[in-house]
């Protein structure tokens, strides 16, 4: 590896008064670090040093640390120069590193090198970015668990079961002349059932981890003037949406991010769903319907003063959407709310706040992320959940091939595809385009 393969970046620059770090990684990191500090850097020893420019003048003084390969974050020689947190001083220090032969690191390149040198798998590498971006204590703890390998260990356990299952099926295919029908063996069916159960548990936990990382996407839908915008304002705690007595005030999507006990929700207020000839409203309704298809959860708001008719009209719009909570709004206009309420129904008033605390608890339950639930949760991303869903589809097809078709070759192919999809989560099967997209989302210096 040449000097040009050694990368440098300002890893952290908290501002004047704090500590800033310039990090180097590569075969020339130690040479460059020693040239700047004018010291022979001992491994894992904190050296107080003056950092010098090309004329021998002091840029700053600070701490120099070296971490020889392979026992470093990237698996390469790494040097950290800790200086005062002035952006100007750190910029001068970085430029000196570049003069000595390093090049600027790309976003995420330190972590990418750690992955390529097998210090981390891809799921762990993504957890680094999730840890940095965590918006709550629960999200930070979940990302830390993924970085420590919890998600990867679960994937590896499923991978082991899949491999054993494939071996069993392949053996049955290779010895068709045997009198025993290995494809009808009860142990094979049990092994497949065990793999599917392990997969189902992993998928559920990964989906929960994704919601913790990305937040719950909640769409507020209803007929015009049902109180959707008032509900958004009440949950957000501010007048984000325009509220008037005139129906059809909301004509476009309005998004607001709120947190409930550290759980992030993206609330989307939508145009009232109804038939209209107004071109602007038609477009708003089209966008509302498209947003509903992408929702994790739908709050269906109906006017409590006439809920039966409003719900009947809205149910046609929401046909095919599984996760719905029906909110009978304007309960403040009713003398009393029904003594018995259906499990999917809640009487609320966006105006005076009744029922809203119960609604918040319901949203936390839907997210599956109460304080108790987040214990042991690991972070995951949408691509992980998508890959695991495809694993499930292939396992389902494999079960059909084995139990109904008795087609061993087709079952074996489905199991191979399941293993390939599973490998996408940790990077065993990853395209260069995917890798580029993942690491480019990191900040420079990570």
């Amino acid at each position: 590896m040449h000097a040009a393969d050694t990368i440098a970046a300002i890893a952290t620059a908290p501002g004047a008064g704090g500590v800033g770090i310039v990090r180097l990684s590569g075969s020339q990191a130690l040479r460059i670090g020693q040239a700047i500090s004018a010291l022979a850097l001992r491994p894992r020893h904190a050296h107080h040093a003056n950092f010098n420019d090309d004329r021998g003048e002091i840029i700053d003084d600070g701490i120099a640390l070296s971490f020889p390969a392979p026992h470093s974050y990237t698996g390469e020689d790494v040097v950290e120069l800790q200086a005062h947190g002035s952006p100007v001083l750190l910029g001068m220090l970085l430029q000196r590193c570049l003069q000595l032969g390093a090049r600027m690191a790309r976003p995420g390149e330190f972590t990418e090198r750690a992955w390529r040198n097998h210090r981390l798998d891809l799921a762990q590498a993504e957890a680094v970015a999730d840890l940095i971006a965590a918006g709550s204590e629960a999200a930070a703890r979940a990302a830390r668990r993924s970085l420590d390998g919890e998600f990867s260990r679960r994937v590896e356990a499923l991978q082991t079961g899949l491999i054993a299952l494939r071996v069993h099926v392949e053996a049955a295919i290779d010895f068709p002349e045997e009198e025993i029908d290995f494809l009808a063996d009860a142990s094979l069916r049990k092994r497949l059932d065990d793999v599917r159960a392990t997969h189902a548990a992993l998928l559920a936990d990964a989906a929960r981890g994704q919601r913790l990382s990305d937040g719950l996407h909640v769409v507020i839908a209803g007929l015009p003037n049902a109180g959707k915008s008032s509900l958004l304002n009440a949950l957000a705690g501010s007048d984000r949406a325009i509220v008037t007595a005139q129906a059809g005030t909301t004509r476009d999507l309005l998004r607001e991010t709120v947190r409930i006990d550290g759980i992030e929700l993206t609330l989307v207020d939508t145009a009232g769903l109804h038939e209209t000839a107004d071109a602007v409203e038609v477009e708003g309704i089209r966008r509302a319907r498209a947003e509903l298809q992408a929702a994790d959860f739908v709050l269906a708001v109906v006017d409590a003063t006439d809920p039966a008719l409003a719900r009947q009209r809205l149910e046609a719009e929401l046909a095919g959407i599984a996760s719905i909570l029906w909110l009978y709004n304007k309960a403040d206009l009713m003398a009393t709310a029904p003594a018995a309420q259906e499990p999917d129904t809640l009487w609320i008033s966006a105006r005076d706040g009744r029922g809203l605390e119960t609604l918040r608890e319901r949203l936390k339950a839907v997210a599956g992320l109460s304080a108790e639930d987040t214990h042991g949760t690991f972070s995951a991303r949408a691509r992980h959940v998508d890959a695991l869903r495809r694993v499930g589809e292939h396992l389902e097809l494999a079960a059909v091939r084995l139990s109904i078709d008795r087609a061993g070759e087709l079952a074996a192919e489905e199991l191979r595809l399941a293993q390939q999809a599973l490998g996408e989560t940790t990077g065993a099967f990853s395209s260069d385009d995917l890798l580029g997209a993942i690491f480019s989302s990191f900040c420079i210096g990570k």
Side-chain angles (χ1 to χ4, degrees):
M1 185 177 285
H2 303 294
D5 294 316
T6 297
I7 56 174
I10 298 174
T12 167
V19 175
I21 299 175
V22 173
R23 180 176 294 149
L24 294 144
S25 180
S27 62
Q28 300 301 309
L30 182 61
R31 178 187 64 79
I32 294 172
Q34 292 184 151
I36 291 174
S37 62
L39 292 174
L41 301 179
R42 286 184 286 157
R44 292 176 175 76
H45 181 83
H47 302 79
H48 180 260
N50 290 327
F51 302 138
N52 304 302
D53 64 15
D54 56 340
R55 294 173 295 183
E57 296 183 7
I58 298 175
I59 299 172
D60 194 10
D61 72 308
I63 302 296
L65 292 161
S66 73
F67 305 90
H71 305 295
S72 69
Y73 177 73
T74 63
E76 304 169 340
D77 286 348
V78 170
V79 170
E80 289 189 356
L81 305 175
Q82 301 179 6
H84 294 93
S86 163
V88 173
L89 289 177
L90 292 171
M92 294 169 64
L93 190 54
L94 177 62
Q95 285 302 312
R96 181 59 181 144
C97 293
L98 301 182
Q99 286 176 353
L100 289 168
R103 65 168 176 80
M104 275 294 297
R106 300 188 306 272
E109 190 172 1
F110 285 91
T111 304
E112 181 181 353
R113 289 187 175 206
W115 171 72
R116 293 191 183 279
N117 290 321
H118 309 292
R119 298 290 291 171
L120 304 168
D121 64 30
L122 198 55
Q124 290 175 297
E126 290 169 295
V128 173
D130 293 339
L131 185 61
I132 295 168
S136 68
E137 181 179 330
R141 291 185 183 279
R144 182 68 248 181
R145 291 187 192 100
S146 276
L147 182 54
D148 290 341
E150 175 62 23
F151 182 25
S152 302
R153 284 189 291 272
R154 296 276 299 275
V155 170
E156 184 178 354
L158 179 56
Q159 189 86 275
T160 299
L162 256 176
I163 291 171
L165 187 58
R166 289 186 65 191
V167 168
H168 193 139
V169 173
E170 295 284 354
I173 295 170
D174 288 342
F175 300 99
E177 69 280 357
E178 296 292 332
E179 295 182 3
I180 300 174
D181 184 359
F182 289 103
L183 293 179
D185 189 352
S187 65
L188 174 60
R189 186 69 208 190
K190 183 182 184 305
R191 183 169 283 171
L192 177 57
D193 289 343
D194 289 345
V195 166
R196 294 178 70 186
T198 301
H199 163 264
L202 179 57
L203 175 57
D205 289 346
R208 184 165 54 176
Q210 183 202 347
R211 289 196 296 271
L212 188 57
S213 298
D214 298 345
L216 192 68
H217 182 199
V218 180
V219 175
I220 303 173
L223 304 180
N225 216 21
K228 302 183 298 299
S229 297
S230 296
L231 176 61
L232 175 70
N233 289 342
L235 291 174
S238 63
D239 292 334
R240 288 288 290 113
I242 298 173
V243 176
T244 71
Q246 179 181 347
T249 302
T250 301
R251 296 189 168 201
D252 201 353
L253 304 177
L254 179 61
R255 303 177 189 273
E256 180 71 6
T257 299
V258 302
R259 293 186 184 279
I260 302 176
D261 294 343
I263 298 169
E264 185 174 289
L265 306 176
T266 299
L267 298 175
V268 186
D269 186 18
T270 61
L273 300 171
H274 69 295
E275 297 299 326
T276 178
D278 185 295
V280 176
E281 280 194 283
V282 167
E283 176 59 20
I285 292 169
R286 185 196 67 77
R287 295 185 183 188
R289 288 169 175 156
E291 194 72 15
L292 283 168
Q293 299 306 312
D296 295 321
F297 194 64
V298 174
L299 298 178
V301 184
V302 299
D303 191 331
T305 61
D306 189 7
L309 178 60
R311 180 161 176 166
Q312 182 181 10
R313 293 172 59 189
L314 193 54
E315 280 179 337
E317 288 281 0
L318 302 181
I321 297 177
S323 301
I324 302 174
L325 177 62
W326 293 89
L327 301 179
Y328 289 3
N329 189 32
K330 305 183 184 179
D332 55 300
L333 302 179
M334 307 293 292
T336 58
Q341 298 183 20
E342 299 175 10
D344 66 345
T345 301
L346 185 63
W347 288 67
I348 66 167
S349 171
R351 176 178 292 177
D352 67 15
R354 74 182 67 181
L356 293 186
E357 190 57 38
T358 303
L359 173 57
R360 292 186 180 95
E361 292 300 318
R362 293 287 290 272
L363 288 170
K364 286 167 57 178
V366 168
L369 298 171
S370 66
E372 297 79 13
D373 290 331
T374 56
H375 180 71
T377 300
F378 53 81
S379 65
R381 294 189 166 193
R383 75 169 196 87
H384 301 143
V385 175
D386 174 68
L388 288 171
R389 283 177 178 152
R390 285 186 281 117
V391 171
E393 291 169 1
H394 291 303
L395 288 175
E396 176 67 25
L397 286 172
V400 171
R401 302 304 187 199
L402 289 174
S403 62
I404 298 177
D405 301 338
R406 296 282 191 233
E409 292 86 353
L410 295 178
E413 176 62 11
E414 294 298 341
L415 293 175
R416 185 190 68 80
L417 292 173
Q419 186 178 352
Q420 180 173 311
L422 184 62
E424 293 176 17
T425 59
T426 55
F429 298 95
S430 300
S431 69
D432 289 340
D433 289 342
L434 172 62
L435 296 175
I438 289 172
F439 289 112
S440 65
S441 66
F442 284 50
C443 57
I444 294 176
K446 288 295 181 183

